[in-house]
Amino acid sequence: MTENGSTNGSDSGSPLTKEEVDAIHETWALVWSDKKNNGIEFFVKFFTHFPEAQDKFKDFKGLSIEEVRAHKKLRAHALSVFYAIKSYIDHLDDLETLTELIRKNARNHVDRKVGGKEVKWLVPPFVELLEEKTNGKVTELHKTAWTKVFDVIASISDEEIEKAK
Amino acid sequence: MTENGSTNGSDSGSPLTKEEVDAIHETWALVWSDKKNNGIEFFVKFFTHFPEAQDKFKDFKGLSIEEVRAHKKLRAHALSVFYAIKSYIDHLDDLETLTELIRKNARNHVDRKVGGKEVKWLVPPFVELLEEKTNGKVTELHKTAWTKVFDVIASISDEEIEKAK
């Protein structure tokens, strides 16, 4: 997972520069501080951007977006995604652990055919959530940093889909 | 959360009393503050108490306990368990979300036949870890509280095993 171009800012093989890691932590803190509500808003945005994603959740398939928002299972679904992201964000400085944490979670999603394409669906709703949380102050650095994080997750998810074939 | 009998401590249907919830948070903070190392120690104790549990992990099956301790995948395995427990501990006041968080995780373990019996294997190594972290000051209250948490996880895990039959 080493990157050899201009974006690699550390000797650890991390694809993120120090500035990008700082940008991640800074913005994640805003999301995490109200994780229950932000999780629900994130999923509502996710299904609004990609209605086909909603069909992958048997609890939510066919429901209106307002029915999803009020669904008693949405909170736990959203929180479990946020706890997974938190475990990654907490280990951006330990690439081996980070990779293995992502791999374990990717493996749990193989049956539902969640590969790289589906993981990348998370970027637009996540950036939109950040826009709201920062009152429109999301920078290019924030976007690049988070896109890289989701790219790493996407790449490992594709590997696990391939392995399972 | 008012006390309402010997085991049911709240109007929300929580099986834990307020004192037990406080005991959980107090001891969990000690574990979480050094989660990487404590996760490794916890898994080493777990496999020492229950060698048959080790066989359920294909990465660790057949290895000596020292080989497991040094295994590069142990850290992520242990951390993912701790992040799951953290998500439960953070939601002891929201039984609906708590139950659903546990259920999602239990479902991911059905294929590996992790039911209530296997979940209860976690109690002795966890209490042993707490004994170390508190310098031997684990009380009956701590033990009761954590046993109740693992009992809830065990019960939901058995339900998911049954559903999958």
Side-chain angles (χ1 to χ4, degrees), chain B residues 1 7 11 23 30 43 47-48 52 59 64 77-78 80 84 89 106 115 117-118 123-124 138 143 146 151-152 154:
Chain B
M1 215 157 73
T7 53
D11 295 336
L30 299 170
F43 260 70
F47 293 158
T48 305
E52 60 269 53
D59 292 324
S64 74
H77 271 291
S80 68
I89 299 316
K117 185 184 83 176
E118 290 76 13
V123 177
V138 171
K143 286 183 202 169
W146 278 104
D151 279 352
V152 172

Side-chain angles (χ1 to χ4, degrees), chain B residues 13-95:
Chain B
S14 167
L16 277 78
T17 64
K18 184 182 178 311
E19 289 70 23
E20 287 165 350
V21 170
D22 291 346
I24 293 283
H25 286 302
E26 181 184 298
T27 41
W28 178 250
L30 299 170
V31 175
W32 190 248
S33 65
D34 187 15
K35 51 187 169 294
K36 252 188 210 175
N37 290 318
N38 289 336
I40 292 169
E41 285 314 306
F42 172 66
F43 260 70
V44 166
K45 290 177 194 308
F46 178 36
F47 293 158
T48 305
H49 278 267
F50 301 100
E52 60 269 53
Q54 192 178 319
D55 293 345
K56 286 192 174 273
F57 293 80
K58 67 175 174 24
D59 292 324
F60 308 138
K61 192 174 176 173
L63 300 185
S64 74
I65 201 69
E66 286 312 315
E67 285 170 324
V68 171
R69 189 196 294 273
H71 198 290
K72 63 178 187 158
K73 287 193 177 176
L74 181 63
R75 201 181 288 183
H77 271 291
L79 281 168
S80 68
V81 172
F82 274 14
Y83 275 87
I85 296 175
K86 176 163 174 60
S87 76
Y88 308 154
I89 299 316
D90 285 349
H91 296 94
L92 291 176
D93 61 346
D94 177 352
L95 203 60

